[in-house]
Amino acid sequence: MASTTPIDTPPAPPVPRPSPRSTGRMGDKIFLGLSRGSGILLLVIMASIAVFLTYRSVLAISKDEGNFLTTFDWNPAGDPPVFGIAVLLFGTVVSSIIAMVIAVPIAVGIALFISHYAPRKLAAPIAYVVDLLAAVPSIVYGIWGALVLVPYLEGLNLWLDQFFGWTYIFEKTEVGVARSLFTVGILLAIMILPIVTSVSREVFLQVPKMNEEAALALGATRWEVIRLSVLPFGRSGIISASMLGLGRALGETMAVATVLSPSFLISLHLLNPGGGTFAQNIAAKFGEADAFGRDALIASGLVLFVLTLLVNGAARLIIARRKEYSGANA
């Protein structure tokens, strides 16, 4: 009997599978195209803003007789024109740092109270009030700050000068109402508090219940559960929430313009009246500026634009490294 040997058949060609981004249906393709187009449109808008700001800034800086980065004066209408961002950069950064130092710890505490400590009947109204505060217009905060916060902070300034004047920062050397960078920082802290609280609260509510229950089963206290399970899980969310608040603090305009007494002097005595920020200076001088003066203000806006991009880029880098570290230890 003749033996037969099996004939090797070539493997069947792989069946093309649809991209995981789309199931092949027309509706999914349309949605994918719209989503991709939205992302591209956003990049185009950002690039257009950057090109416009850069072009107008070059026109102004090329005619500046001083040093744009270190000059303390702002007089683009002078002969020769002299203007610089040193005071504006100092005021913007200092007031934002004060706001972050005050707001972030309080916001995280409120978010933890709402998500893990408060009874449900109490947590819901508090969360509603916090979300409502985030919707209040900035001009309302500014009017409240000018009429209520500024008069009452004068007593706090005197107290800080009496007991902490030795730090030099809280030494009050000028007589005047509390229209200072310290007051602006407190007002900005109140404004960004609802944003940081809302985002942090939502992140804390996403912590896996199994992690918390396992820690409680091992005998951990409520604080140990939060310290070992909740805060490590929500660290990237807290950073993201803080960057959102910092973005509002850096670009806040009307509230700062209502409260601050502008001056082009840099002083480490934060209780003294005076100072300036990018947004406040643009809002105060744009209406009366000529064409060259507007270009100078746009140049300062470009610096604020770059500063905001750097802050957000640094936040994204921190979050990415934190995720890589967490993945490596998992």
Side-chain angles (χ1 to χ4, degrees):
M1 181 182 292
S3 61
T4 60
T5 57
I7 300 176
D8 295 334
T9 59
V15 179
R17 301 179 62 183
S19 171
R21 297 177 181 270
S22 173
T23 61
R25 298 177 180 177
M26 182 59 65
D28 290 338
K29 291 181 179 179
I30 294 176
F31 183 76
L32 177 61
L34 291 176
S35 301
R36 183 180 291 124
S38 300
I40 296 174
L41 178 61
L42 178 62
L43 294 178
V44 171
I45 293 174
M46 292 291 292
S48 300
I49 294 174
V51 170
F52 167 76
L53 293 177
T54 303
Y55 172 72
R56 298 291 294 269
S57 300
V58 170
L59 295 179
I61 296 176
S62 61
K63 300 178 182 179
D64 183 18
E65 295 295 332
N67 191 319
F68 179 67
L69 297 178
T70 59
T71 301
F72 286 13
D73 194 13
W74 188 273
N75 187 20
D79 188 18
V82 176
F83 55 92
I85 61 164
V87 176
L88 304 178
L89 180 62
F90 175 81
T92 301
V93 172
V94 168
S95 60
S96 299
I97 290 176
I98 294 173
M100 296 296 292
V101 170
I102 296 174
V104 172
I106 298 176
V108 172
I110 296 174
L112 287 173
F113 176 75
I114 294 174
S115 60
H116 288 81
Y117 283 96
R120 182 173 299 179
K121 292 182 179 181
L122 180 61
I126 296 178
Y128 174 77
V129 171
V130 171
D131 294 338
L132 187 62
L133 289 175
V136 176
S138 60
I139 187 62
V140 176
Y141 280 109
I143 295 174
W144 174 82
L147 300 179
V148 178
L149 190 62
V150 169
Y152 282 96
L153 275 183
E154 186 61 27
L156 176 62
N157 289 354
L158 295 177
W159 182 84
L160 290 173
D161 179 42
Q162 180 179 358
F163 292 98
F164 297 97
W166 53 271
T167 62
Y168 186 82
I169 295 177
F170 295 114
E171 181 182 6
K172 188 174 177 61
T173 60
E174 297 181 14
V175 178
V177 294
R179 294 183 176 273
S180 60
L181 291 177
F182 182 70
T183 303
V184 171
I186 294 177
L187 181 61
L188 292 176
I190 297 173
M191 296 179 65
I192 68 176
L193 185 66
I195 300 175
V196 182
T197 302
S198 298
V199 177
S200 300
R201 182 191 72 227
E202 295 301 323
V203 172
F204 294 153
L205 290 174
Q206 301 302 319
V207 178
K209 293 298 180 183
M210 295 180 60
N211 294 1
E212 300 182 31
E213 293 172 356
L216 290 173
L218 293 174
T221 62
R222 182 66 64 88
W223 165 242
E224 289 173 338
V225 171
I226 291 175
R227 183 170 58 88
L228 299 176
S229 298
V230 178
L231 291 179
F233 179 87
R235 185 174 289 114
S236 60
I238 295 174
I239 296 175
S240 300
S242 301
M243 292 305 103
L244 286 174
L246 180 59
R248 180 171 186 181
L250 288 172
E252 183 53 46
T253 304
M254 296 310 301
V256 178
T258 306
V259 170
L260 186 63
S261 177
S263 69
F264 276 85
L265 294 175
I266 291 181
S267 175
L268 294 179
H269 299 290
L270 299 183
L271 302 182
N272 289 340
T277 66
F278 286 113
Q280 170 268 328
N281 186 62
I282 293 173
K285 293 183 168 28
F286 195 86
E288 62 186 22
D290 56 11
F292 180 75
R294 286 193 291 270
D295 288 343
L297 293 173
I298 290 173
S300 66
L302 175 63
V303 178
L304 179 60
F305 181 78
V306 173
L307 179 63
T308 305
L309 290 181
L310 291 177
V311 169
N312 287 296
R316 297 292 298 180
L317 182 62
I318 293 173
I319 294 173
R321 288 187 176 181
R322 179 62 59 182
K323 289 182 178 179
E324 293 178 0
Y325 177 79
S326 301
N329 292 339

